[in-house]
Amino acid sequence: MIELRPATDQDVREFAAWHYDPPYDVYDIDMTSDEAVVYFLEPGTHCHTLFDGGVMVGYCTFGHDAQVPGGNYDADGIDIGLGVKPEQTGAGEGNRFVAAVVAYALVAFDPPQLRVTIAAGNIRALRVWSSVGFSEVSRFATTRDIMGSGEFAILTLTPTDPP
C-alpha cells in the first residue's frame, strides 16, 4: 500500500539526488540539495513523499510547482506533480502511485478538478494518467525541448469522473 507523508529535509535530500537515464534525465532536479530543501519544504509547494512498505518510491507536489510556464491554469483545480524513484520507473507501478496521489489530493484539497501537466514526449506518463481517468484538455508549446518536444499536455480529472 502506498502511503503519502509530508516531505522531510532528509526525504528531499534523497530524491533531489535521483538521476534518470535519458531521455528521462530532464526530470533530474537541477539544484543543490540545500536549495532543494528550501524549495520543496516551502509550504505552498505541498511536497509529500510516497512510501511503499517503508521504502521511498516517489514524491509529489500540489499547486504552483506542478504548473509549466505557457499552460492555461485559469480553471479552478489542484495541480499535481509526481516524481518516481528512477529504479521504479517503467516497472508497471505507475497506476498504484497515481491512484494514491489522486486519493490523497481529493481528501486534502477537495478540489473541483485535478490537473496534471505532462511533456508530450513522455508517453509512459501520458498512458498512466489516462488509464486512471484523466483526460487531455489542451496542449501548448514551450521554449524548452523536453524529451524531443517543446509541447506539453494538460490532463484533468473531476471528482465525479470515475477513477
Side-chain angles (χ1 to χ4, degrees):
M1 180 169 156
I2 305 298
E3 178 187 359
L4 271 75
R5 300 180 200 159
T8 66
D9 181 293
Q10 181 179 344
D11 294 341
V12 174
R13 290 179 189 282
E14 182 177 332
F15 69 69
W18 292 348
H19 294 289
Y20 299 89
D21 291 332
Y24 300 98
D25 56 342
V26 298
Y27 296 112
D28 289 356
I29 294 174
D30 188 23
M31 58 180 83
T32 69
S33 59
D34 288 338
E35 291 170 333
V37 166
V38 169
Y39 178 81
F40 285 101
L41 295 185
E42 190 275 320
T45 303
H46 301 283
C47 186
H48 287 69
T49 45
L50 283 70
F51 289 88
D52 188 7
V55 176
M56 185 192 302
V57 294
Y59 68 95
C60 61
T61 61
F62 300 98
H64 64 84
D65 174 69
Q67 297 178 351
V68 175
N72 181 345
Y73 300 100
D74 290 341
D76 284 341
I78 189 77
D79 292 284
I80 300 171
L82 175 62
V84 175
K85 190 173 188 174
E87 296 80 9
Q88 298 286 329
T89 61
E93 298 291 325
N95 286 24
R96 285 187 339 121
F97 300 155
V98 170
V101 170
V102 166
Y104 178 87
L106 290 172
V107 171
F109 300 101
D110 191 26
Q113 75 175 345
L114 300 173
R115 187 171 42 223
V116 63
T117 304
I118 301 171
N122 192 341
I123 303 303
R124 291 191 316 201
L126 289 168
R127 189 176 306 131
V128 167
W129 288 89
S130 295
S131 73
V132 297
F134 281 73
S135 299
E136 186 174 322
V137 293
S138 67
R139 286 196 177 219
F140 63 95
T142 66
T143 56
R144 261 180 88 197
D145 183 359
I146 304 289
M147 300 177 75
S149 173
E151 187 174 47
F152 281 82
I154 295 178
L155 291 80
T156 61
L157 175 75
T158 58
T160 57
D161 291 342

